[in-house]
């Protein structure tokens, strides 16, 4: 992405305006994910996006509006990017159905290491329940839960996962994957290994699959 001169004239093309707006949203998503809503200011976002604060205020009428738009931006990036990772899944081997679940978990984990903002934003708001969390629940999480539960149920019908409560299993699988991303800096310092390495991810997924296979 080309660098935008924060001192450029106010008159810009439509492409320039979209580029600057995207830069602001990307910067806002990173800062909201790291510092939370209360710890983020429009000035901080402007500096990170290399634009003037007045330009942020031009595109977004308030910090609340910027936060909502940045969440929309992150979820849109997730929904567009995740299928790219899932397309890497090999055809299922009829002699080892667990390989499909193993590969799916690996791709989701790899994606989350590459794009951690959605997880961090989710936990930022979950740690302080309020109107912003309610908005995220209505706008994103209800659908995410429904889609995840449906995916678990399909896998159960195909004999890929144990026949237990689908929502409980969704929480267990999500926790096993997302926790690894959240504590990666701690794990790396304690264990001296990089949790986002192929070797570490494969070992983690193999352990998870061993538990699921024994449950089945």
């Amino acid at each position: 992405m080309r660098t935008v001169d924060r001192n450029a004239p106010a008159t810009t093309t439509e492409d320039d305006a979209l580029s600057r707006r995207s830069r602001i949203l990307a910067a806002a998503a990173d800062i909201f994910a790291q510092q939370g809503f209360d710890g983020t200011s429009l000035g901080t976002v402007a500096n990170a996006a290399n634009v003037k604060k007045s330009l942020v205020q031009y595109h977004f009428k308030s910090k609340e509006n910027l936060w909502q738009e940045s969440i929309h931006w992150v979820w849109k990036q997730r929904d567009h990017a995740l299928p790219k990772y899932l397309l890497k899944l090999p055809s299922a081997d009829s002699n080892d159905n667990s390989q499909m679940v193993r590969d799916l978990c690996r791709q989701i984990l790899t994606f989350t290491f590459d794009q951690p903002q959605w997880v961090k934003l989710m936990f930022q708001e979950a740690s302080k329940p309020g109107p912003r969390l309610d908005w995220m629940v209505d706008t994103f999480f209800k659908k995410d839960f429904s889609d995840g539960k449906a995916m678990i149920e399909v896998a159960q019908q195909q004999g890929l996962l144990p026949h237990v409560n689908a929502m409980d299993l969704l929480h267990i699988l999500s926790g096993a994957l997302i926790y690894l991303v959240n504590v990666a800096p701690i794990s790396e310092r304690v264990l001296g290994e990089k949790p986002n390495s192929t070797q570490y991810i494969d070992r983690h997924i193999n352990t998870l699959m061993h538990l699921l296979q024994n449950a089945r």
Side-chain angles (χ1 to χ4, degrees):
M1 183 176 291
R2 59 184 171 178
T3 302
V4 176
D5 181 2
R6 64 187 300 170
N7 296 314
T11 301
T12 60
T13 67
E14 183 177 351
D15 287 343
D16 287 335
L18 289 174
S19 175
R20 290 185 180 189
R21 192 175 191 277
S22 295
R23 287 171 63 85
I24 294 169
L25 288 172
D30 285 340
I31 296 173
F32 281 127
Q34 293 294 336
Q35 301 182 17
F37 182 86
D38 293 334
T40 299
S41 69
L42 297 184
T44 303
V45 172
N47 287 335
N50 195 31
V51 299
K52 294 180 178 179
K53 181 180 176 181
S54 59
L55 187 62
V56 177
Q57 294 170 316
Y58 171 78
H59 284 290
F60 307 97
K61 60 185 179 181
S62 65
K63 187 168 78 167
E64 181 81 19
N65 176 233
L66 175 60
W67 177 83
Q68 288 187 350
E69 290 298 319
S70 70
I71 302 294
H72 273 292
W73 186 85
V74 168
W75 253 251
K76 182 178 179 180
Q77 299 300 310
R78 185 200 70 171
D79 293 344
H80 276 84
L82 190 53
K84 175 188 71 176
Y85 288 78
L86 300 185
L87 285 174
K88 297 179 181 179
L89 293 176
S91 299
D93 184 347
S94 59
N95 295 321
D96 183 12
N97 287 335
S98 65
Q99 185 64 38
M100 178 179 291
V101 178
R102 181 181 286 106
D103 292 332
L104 177 61
C105 289
R106 182 180 294 108
Q107 296 304 331
I108 291 175
L109 189 53
T110 301
F111 164 76
T112 305
F113 269 119
D114 289 344
Q115 305 285 343
Q117 296 97 331
W118 71 280
V119 172
K120 293 180 179 181
L121 287 164
M122 177 173 63
F123 282 106
Q124 281 281 1
E125 295 308 321
S127 67
K128 299 178 180 179
R132 289 192 303 274
L133 179 60
D134 293 339
W135 177 85
M136 292 184 75
V137 167
D138 290 336
T139 308
F140 302 108
F141 294 148
K142 287 181 179 179
K143 183 178 185 301
D144 284 351
F145 273 50
S146 178
D147 291 346
K149 181 172 180 285
M151 183 178 68
I152 294 292
E153 290 171 341
V154 169
Q156 288 175 321
Q157 292 168 7
Q158 296 178 355
L160 304 177
L161 292 174
H163 288 277
V164 295
N165 182 277
M167 188 56 70
D168 289 342
L169 188 52
L170 176 63
H171 281 131
I172 291 169
L173 283 170
S174 299
L177 300 176
I178 292 174
Y179 176 82
L180 182 63
V181 177
N182 283 342
V183 300
I186 298 173
S187 298
E188 183 173 350
R189 285 162 173 76
V190 173
L191 304 176
E193 297 180 82
K194 292 186 178 296
N196 63 343
S197 68
T198 300
Q199 180 181 5
Y200 198 111
I201 289 175
D202 285 346
R203 189 178 73 223
H204 187 78
I205 297 300
N206 287 337
T207 301
L208 178 59
M209 290 307 303
H210 179 73
L211 293 173
L212 292 173
Q213 288 169 351
N214 283 347
R216 250 172 52 209

